[in-house]
């Protein structure tokens, strides 16, 4: 890849990540079936990439690696299920913006778990994301579907932050594609008992949406991120990754006529600006960190 094609691949990957909520809404199946199918198709796509495109040698896993992969797989399953519940309840735009709160949770959890000092720009990130979430919330009535959906999305962001920290702890040893494949196997196995009784009722068109979700929004998108990191700076990749909500909300507006209010747009803009600025100011971003984060999504 040249730097130009790698940047294009990054944006295509971010667009595919942004389509996650769109395909989840198009599929009429339950969140459990969607997540099971996504994981199953992702395993196939990642296996093909690992076999024919990836030059990275896989590592022999030790007991501690298996424990971390099992934990991260469980977190990934919870993250995806809660996100698709949010999509079904509140729509793609609110679900995507609620999930985008994960960098604020990451900052807080890093300070609590790793005793890392929180810098001024990280405090600003938390504040801007918090204000953005308040503005995104149409009302504060728990009987409202939009509010309930936003809470599910924020919960998805919290689980994603925990998952990202777990992946970073193991990213020094385990290649991102290997970790992503193992995690998706765990997700599929966890959801199989719940999804199995419903599989015969899934329509053919829904399998199409779920297949696109697993192959393109998971396997291909992650593979593009990993390949582009060979020539693109990690900080640039992190900024492009932050554009995912823009792509998701735009597609939801075009396909489902989800017209965000001016207040929601302003809140979403605050969240996205906070993520971009934080990515630009952070000096600690590494290619392994960004790749691990992409693997989680």
């Amino acid at each position: 890849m040249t730097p130009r094609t790698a940047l294009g691949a990054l944006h295509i990957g971010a667009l595919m990540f942004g389509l996650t909520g769109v395909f989840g809404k198009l599929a009429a199946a339950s969140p459990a079936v969607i997540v099971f199918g996504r994981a199953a198709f992702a395993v196939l796509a990642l296996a093909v990439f690992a076999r024919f495109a990836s030059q990275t040698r896989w590592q022999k896993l030790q007991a501690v690696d298996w424990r971390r992969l099992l934990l991260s797989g469980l977190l990934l399953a919870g993250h995806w299920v809660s996100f698709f519940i949010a999509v079904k309840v509140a729509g793609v735009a609110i679900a995507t913006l609620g999930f985008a709160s994960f960098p604020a949770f990451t900052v807080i959890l890093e300070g609590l778990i790793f005793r890392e000092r929180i810098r001024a720009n990280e405090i600003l990130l938390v504040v801007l994301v918090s204000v953005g979430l308040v503005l995104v919330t149409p009302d504060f009535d728990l009987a409202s579907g939009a509010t309930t959906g936003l809470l599910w999305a924020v919960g998805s962001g919290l689980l994603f932050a925990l998952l990202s920290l777990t992946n970073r702890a193991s990213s020094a040893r385990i290649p991102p594609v290997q970790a992503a494949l193992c995690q998706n196997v765990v997700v599929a196995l966890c959801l199989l008992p719940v999804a199995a009784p419903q599989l015969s009722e899934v329509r053919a068109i829904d399998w199409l949406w779920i297949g696109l979700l697993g192959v393109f929004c998971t396997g291909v998108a992650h593979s593009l991120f990993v390949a582009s990191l060979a020539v693109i700076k990690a900080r640039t990749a992190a900024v492009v990754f932050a554009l995912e909500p823009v792509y998701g909300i735009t597609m939801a507006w075009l396909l489902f006529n989800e017209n965000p209010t001016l207040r929601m747009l302003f809140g979403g803009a605050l969240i996205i600006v906070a993520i971009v600025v934080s990515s630009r100011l952070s000096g600690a971003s590494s290619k392994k960190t960004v790749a691990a984060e992409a693997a989680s999504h």
Side-chain angles (χ1 to χ4, degrees), residues 39 43 180-190:
V43 168
L181 195 152
C182 293
Q183 289 167 2
N184 277 276
V185 169
V186 173
V187 172
L189 292 176
C190 286

Side-chain angles (χ1 to χ4, degrees), residues 18 26 41 47 52 56 62 70 82 95 101 149 161-162 201 217 262 297:
L26 286 171
F41 281 107
F52 296 106
T56 305
Q62 301 174 357
L70 176 60
S82 55
S101 63
L162 288 167
E201 302 172 4
C217 299
L262 184 61
H297 200 42

